[in-house]
Amino acid sequence: MADFFSLGIETSCDETSASVVCNGRKILSNVVSSSLKEHSKYGGVVPEIACRAQLETISIVVEKAIKDAGINKSELNLIAVTYGPGLVGALLIGISFAKGLSISLNVPLIGVNHLQAHLYGNFFQRIKPEFPYLGLVISGGHTNLVWMKSFVNCKILGETTDDAVGETFDKVARILGLGYPGGPVIEKKAAQAHGDKINFYKSSDSESLNFSFSGLKTAVLYYVKKNPAPVSAVAKRFQSAVGDILILRTRNAIHITKAKQLVLGGGVSVNSYLRKRFADMAREEKVKLFLPDVRLCLDNGAMVAGLGYQLFLKGYTSGIDLSAVPDLEISKVR
Ligand code: KG4
Ligand code: ZN
């Protein structure tokens, strides 16, 4: 069979990314441009800034992805694009661009769920997950435990009742005066802490599959108001408490589903401390753990191109009426 080239476009938040993937598994190019630094002084993503950056870079990023892949535009077989969840304006820029390409090249268009795409980041590995599996998406806007039966059949088992994990990293970084994005800087600070043992939070031994992070965030806020502890020590305790919450709920889900495989995805899964916690827990629970390559944890076009290909194989395509769905749930395909 001839090779099938899918182009993936991702513009759901502050990254503009495009990638060409061959047969859903081989990444030929993956170009990522980020407006991250421009948001830093505001302590979070400013939608207007993100959208302007998307508009300015989208055509350059797509052209480069096609060039880096060493193919000609006319060889593309499918245009895949994230259609939600995300910032509506940012999503629409990617969707409009994808539609234009699909029409001008006369190739099919497919809208892809960003959260499912994060889990697809694991399918580029030599050994890939087998359905059904337990998925955990930990990103800036979402915290979802899901039972994945196939690329098109997914059931939500648990979600956050307040803030998402990545959002909590970002808010705590703001409390600690560390800027945006919070994840990388908190991880770095935590690694610098030695000896300072502080404790300001006790996680509950809940049997629930739902997550809650706002209590932890508030505990950090009150602790630093009253105690002159080193930032590194607070960051370390915070990060370990995030690990406790994530591991407890995921362990509950493993017991309930009797899952044999656990698949992680989303920006927070790049965190090496959390990766180690999950590796330890997976060993104890005798489940096979899949972690995306660190280059595929944050938002990227490859995961969109790859999942788009799989959906296309299952007979899915999108019409020219494809629109952004900012609050799209992980369980929805189309
Ligand atoms: O998946 P992603 O790129 O965007 C969304 O889909 O939301 O995730 C971004 C989130 C941000 O909240 C950021 O703080 C977090 O991922 N993040 C991290 C790390 N690097 C990025 N969280 C913890 N540790 C990190 N090293
Ligand atoms: Zn994401």
Side-chain angles (χ1 to χ4, degrees):
M1 218 169 77
D3 281 338
F4 189 104
F5 299 110
S6 53
L7 173 76
I9 298 179
E10 159 60 48
T11 64
S12 66
C13 193
D14 52 354
E15 267 91 27
T16 313
S17 179
S19 160
V20 177
V21 167
C22 180
N23 302 330
R25 293 289 301 279
K26 190 163 177 227
I27 301 172
L28 302 183
S29 63
N30 192 21
V31 181
V32 183
S33 161
S34 177
S35 60
L36 202 122
K37 286 207 177 72
E38 295 178 58
H39 306 281
S40 181
K41 65 172 179 252
Y42 303 101
V45 174
V46 182
E48 288 78 7
I49 295 178
C51 291
R52 201 201 55 223
Q54 298 285 5
L55 208 53
E56 282 170 5
T57 49
I58 182 106
S59 65
I60 304 165
V61 167
V62 171
E63 289 292 333
K64 183 160 164 46
I66 295 169
K67 186 162 172 272
D68 286 1
I71 63 161
N72 198 294
K73 235 184 223 154
S74 60
E75 292 175 83
L76 287 172
N77 302 102
L78 177 71
I79 312 294
V81 63
T82 300
Y83 80 105
L87 300 171
V88 65
L91 288 165
L92 282 172
I93 291 164
I95 294 171
S96 311
F97 200 89
K99 282 182 187 172
L101 268 180
S102 158
I103 293 168
S104 66
L105 300 173
N106 194 25
V107 291
L109 173 76
I110 175 89
V112 166
N113 183 317
H114 179 80
L115 302 172
Q116 292 190 2
H118 269 305
L119 292 173
Y120 193 83
N122 293 277
F123 284 78
F124 295 109
Q125 293 162 19
R126 200 174 52 80
I127 299 173
K128 57 180 174 31
E130 302 279 343
F131 294 106
Y133 68 74
L134 178 66
L136 174 66
V137 176
I138 40 179
S139 72
H142 293 81
T143 313
N144 278 139
L145 265 170
V146 287
W147 187 243
M148 295 294 300
K149 290 189 204 155
S150 71
F151 287 120
V152 294
N153 193 338
C154 156
K155 187 168 170 254
I156 300 177
L157 303 175
E159 57 201 336
T160 181
T161 52
D162 38 58
D163 295 342
V165 204
E167 184 183 4
T168 310
F169 269 95
D170 297 334
K171 287 181 174 171
V172 166
R174 206 180 314 166
I175 292 169
L176 300 177
L178 297 173
Y180 175 87
V185 59
I186 286 184
E187 179 174 3
K188 197 167 142 218
K189 284 282 173 201
Q192 292 164 359
H194 24 235
D196 326 287
K197 277 230 161 62
I198 57 169
N199 204 356
F200 48 79
Y201 180 77
K202 167 99 184 68
S203 55
S204 65
D205 287 340
S206 164
E207 285 180 12
S208 163
L209 300 184
N210 287 328
F211 304 86
S212 168
F213 293 97
S214 69
L216 172 58
K217 176 192 66 189
T218 312
V220 173
L221 181 67
Y222 286 127
Y223 187 82
V224 298
K225 265 192 179 167
K226 292 192 193 130
N227 302 278
V231 167
S232 57
V234 179
K236 186 174 179 183
R237 177 65 194 120
F238 163 72
Q239 190 175 249
S240 71
V242 169
D244 294 345
I245 297 170
L246 290 175
I247 295 286
L248 182 68
R249 271 43 173 194
T250 309
R251 223 188 259 276
N252 291 344
I254 290 172
H255 294 165
I256 289 171
T257 59
K258 301 194 169 45
K260 294 277 174 282
Q261 303 160 92
L262 171 63
V263 179
L264 258 61
V268 182
S269 62
V270 78
N271 184 294
S272 34
Y273 167 80
L274 295 175
R275 288 170 87 95
K276 174 153 191 324
R277 291 282 308 261
F278 276 101
D280 292 344
M281 185 267 276
R283 212 173 304 117
E284 284 167 25
E285 298 291 338
K286 297 188 174 49
V287 298
K288 180 153 176 47
L289 175 67
F290 291 87
L291 296 167
D293 184 297
V294 289
R295 285 162 301 187
L296 296 176
C297 287
L298 293 159
D299 293 349
N300 65 85
M303 63 185 194
V304 177
L307 179 57
Y309 168 78
Q310 303 293 349
L311 297 178
F312 182 75
L313 285 189
K314 294 251 177 285
Y316 287 83
T317 52
S318 300
I320 210 65
D321 58 344
L322 178 71
S323 191
V325 182
D327 56 356
L328 185 69
E329 291 214 359
I330 188 168
S331 51
K332 299 269 185 313
V333 174
R334 293 288 315 118

